[in-house]
Amino acid sequence: MKTTLTKIKKEKPDFGALGFCKYFSDHMLVMDYKNGAWQEPEIMPYGAFELNPATSSLHYGQGIFEGLKAYKNNGKVTLFRPRDNFVRMNKSANRLCIPEIDVDLVLNSLIELIKLEEDWIPEGGGRSLYIRPFIFATDNVLGVASASNYRFAIILSPVGSYYAGGLKPTRILVEEHFVRASIGGTGEAKCIGNYAASLFAGNLAKAKGYDQVMWLDSSEHLFVEEVGSMNMFFVEKGKVKTPSLVGSILPGITRDSAIKLLTAKGIKVEETRISIKKVAKGINSGALTEAFGTGTAAVISPVGTLGYQGKDLVIGNNEMGEISSWLYDELTGIQCGIKEDKFGWVMHLN
Ligand code: COI
């Protein structure tokens, strides 16, 4: 792989006040697709891309991305299930008519990039280096067609908590009118258009004082799908439930990890259709004691308030519940190499 090092290294931001993806490391990885093949990947100084105004992805949204993290604990660097992200990226690629990438090649290239940027990985306090692989179509023609040229790139950003409040339970608004995705659409692909489509309702929710929107199914507006950037879990009478992957829901890698960790602990997780009416009923009766979201960026994020039909329903006294806290500690412990990795999810880089 070709590597061109930067002449000027950036000053590091204050790792104690990072927020989410506001700063980017010194180098990035770029790999282009042309003449029917992915070319050799290249590590180069982080910098702007030059884009023709007719770049097709800017017009028709043929683009996908992934999100994963590198962790550092006592100088030891780990990645969590990185292969799964690139396997999922190929599923998204297929749905968006983008040529598949060579999973081993991009994984090895990522490892080289992370080793080069090791001092950009913040240590402790829930901090990590967020890794953003993405692919976008780069044809310079405006006919609506799948492109013949693409760019794959990986950029890196040291991050703290996704939500400004950290682990403080979030306020989520149930959206009964707008939908994120429908069966047969692109909901289960990690494509850029899904996120654009979510902004309008997200902004309305934020204006009302909520953090994000809870999406319901597109045909009946009755069943929970996912929340903004997270998959959802509910704990009712000690049983854990999460919406089944019906085709319009992102198959989260953190979601899958949560299911496996809970199951291994002897807590049964049911993947099923979850009626929002029953969720509201469970909160009101006190039977539903915890709700939390899972995601690479959000990790395990408790939901303290659900805005539903004009009322704010408070879950578990607006405190992080026992199961969510256990899962957060277990997952983050495994991710940064402190807790035993029974599933073989962690890749050690040094
Ligand atoms: C992630 O958790 O990596 C995501 O993709 C969410 C992102 C849109 C911030």
Side-chain angles (χ1 to χ4, degrees):
M1 182 169 55
K2 198 173 154 203
T3 299
T4 311
L5 296 180
T6 181
K7 292 200 177 72
I8 311 152
K9 284 206 172 187
K10 294 176 199 161
E11 203 176 305
K12 302 275 186 311
D14 174 2
F15 281 178
L18 286 169
F20 187 76
C21 286
K22 294 186 191 154
Y23 310 97
F24 295 93
S25 76
D26 290 316
H27 297 91
M28 61 183 180
L29 185 112
V30 173
M31 178 173 79
D32 286 329
Y33 183 91
K34 58 181 179 193
N35 303 326
W38 285 107
Q39 309 295 305
E40 194 189 348
E42 193 175 334
I43 288 178
M44 59 178 76
Y46 183 93
F49 294 146
E50 192 179 306
L51 294 179
N52 184 303
T55 299
S56 50
S57 52
L58 298 180
H59 299 269
Y60 306 126
Q62 201 190 357
I64 55 175
F65 71 96
E66 273 300 320
L68 66 158
K69 285 174 171 173
Y71 309 84
K72 195 188 262 179
N73 180 50
N74 282 328
K76 293 281 169 208
V77 177
T78 49
L79 292 174
F80 184 70
R81 306 185 69 174
R83 170 174 284 280
D84 294 342
N85 284 91
F86 292 121
V87 168
R88 184 174 68 182
M89 190 168 214
N90 273 342
K91 291 196 179 132
S92 303
N94 264 310
R95 181 63 179 83
L96 272 287
C97 304
I98 292 172
E100 285 190 13
I101 48 168
D102 176 335
V103 170
D104 288 313
L105 177 75
V106 291
L107 184 51
N108 289 334
S109 309
L110 169 66
I111 291 168
E112 273 195 48
L113 180 67
I114 298 290
K115 285 184 175 165
L116 180 67
E117 301 290 69
E118 205 194 300
D119 55 354
W120 279 92
I121 312 174
E123 208 168 329
R127 289 179 280 267
S128 55
L129 185 71
Y130 187 78
I131 302 166
R132 170 55 61 88
F134 58 108
I135 305 177
F136 61 103
T138 54
D139 274 12
N140 300 322
V141 281
L142 292 188
V144 178
S146 52
S148 306
N149 296 282
Y150 297 87
R151 172 159 288 186
F152 168 94
I154 302 180
I155 54 174
L156 308 173
S157 171
V159 294
S161 203
Y162 183 60
Y163 292 106
L167 276 183
K168 193 169 146 252
T170 50
R171 291 171 51 80
I172 303 294
L173 182 65
V174 177
E175 174 57 62
E176 292 191 277
H177 175 65
F178 297 107
V179 295
R180 174 188 171 274
S182 51
I183 305 290
T186 57
E188 64 182 348
K190 207 160 172 65
C191 64
I192 57 178
N194 289 346
Y195 294 80
S198 75
L199 297 176
F200 189 79
N203 286 350
L204 293 177
K206 277 181 194 146
K208 291 183 189 154
Y210 295 91
D211 296 298
Q212 283 192 353
V213 158
M214 177 177 286
W215 301 108
L216 302 178
D217 72 284
S218 63
S219 54
E220 293 172 86
H221 300 225
L222 273 181
F223 297 98
V224 177
E225 298 243 306
E226 59 183 82
V227 162
S229 55
M230 317 188 287
N231 292 112
M232 273 308 298
F233 287 74
F234 300 93
V235 183
E236 190 161 0
K237 296 187 188 142
K239 283 197 191 128
V240 182
K241 283 185 188 172
T242 188
S244 39
L245 300 177
V246 286
S248 49
I249 296 176
L250 186 83
I253 291 163
T254 315
R255 173 189 182 277
D256 180 70
S257 308
I259 294 173
K260 293 196 166 104
L261 288 173
L262 289 166
T263 308
K265 191 180 159 59
I267 299 172
K268 197 175 162 334
V269 181
E270 198 187 343
E271 293 179 71
T272 179
R273 297 211 88 186
I274 298 176
S275 141
I276 188 62
K277 288 194 190 310
K278 286 194 181 152
V279 167
K281 214 168 149 196
I283 299 172
N284 285 332
S285 74
L288 194 152
T289 48
E290 289 183 51
F292 58 91
T294 62
T296 298
V299 195
I300 302 294
S301 200
V303 176
T305 304
L306 209 57
Y308 180 54
Q309 299 190 328
K311 289 204 183 99
D312 271 355
L313 311 176
V314 178
I315 306 167
N317 261 338
N318 199 28
E319 282 162 16
M320 190 162 182
E322 216 177 294
I323 291 183
S324 335
S325 302
W326 176 84
L327 197 53
Y328 178 86
D329 290 343
E330 192 66 16
L331 182 66
T332 53
I334 294 170
Q335 285 171 333
C336 59
I338 301 170
K339 295 211 172 197
E340 194 194 346
D341 172 27
K342 288 189 194 125
F343 291 93
W345 285 331
V346 176
M347 185 176 272
H348 296 267
L349 298 201
N350 56 1

